[in-house]
Amino acid sequence: YGNNIHILTMKFYSVEYWQENWETLMERVENGETIGIENDNGERAVMVPADDEILRIYTEQNNEGS
């Protein structure tokens, strides 16, 4: 599991909760928390803080704007 062990105990919120509390949840993620979102179909996504490696990969390998 490595660094992903926290996903097993991570809190998932509804889409509605995310919409109503967007600023607070984004602030929590920016402060290092990993938070999940789950829709009515049970599909899940995870918001994770961007680290230097993610930002480097995005800026060096993002060719969408080229």
Side-chain angles (χ1 to χ4, degrees):
Y1 290 94
N3 292 333
N4 296 323
I5 193 73
H6 61 276
I7 291 175
L8 299 175
T9 58
M10 177 179 32
K11 174 75 174 156
F12 280 83
Y13 297 93
S14 68
V15 173
E16 294 78 15
Y17 187 88
W18 267 95
Q19 291 170 334
E20 294 167 8
N21 299 281
W22 177 256
E23 288 183 22
T24 302
L25 292 171
M26 286 303 295
E27 195 172 295
R28 287 171 56 187
V29 171
E30 288 171 357
N31 287 326
E33 216 173 319
T34 298
I35 302 174
I37 180 172
E38 184 171 3
N39 69 14
D40 293 338
N41 296 327
E43 298 167 321
R44 290 179 161 187
V46 176
M47 298 288 287
V48 297
D51 61 18
D52 291 340
E53 181 66 9
I54 291 172
L55 295 174
R56 183 192 64 76
I57 291 169
Y58 179 78
T59 54
E60 290 180 7
Q61 298 182 16
N62 178 18
N63 296 320
E64 293 177 19
S66 314

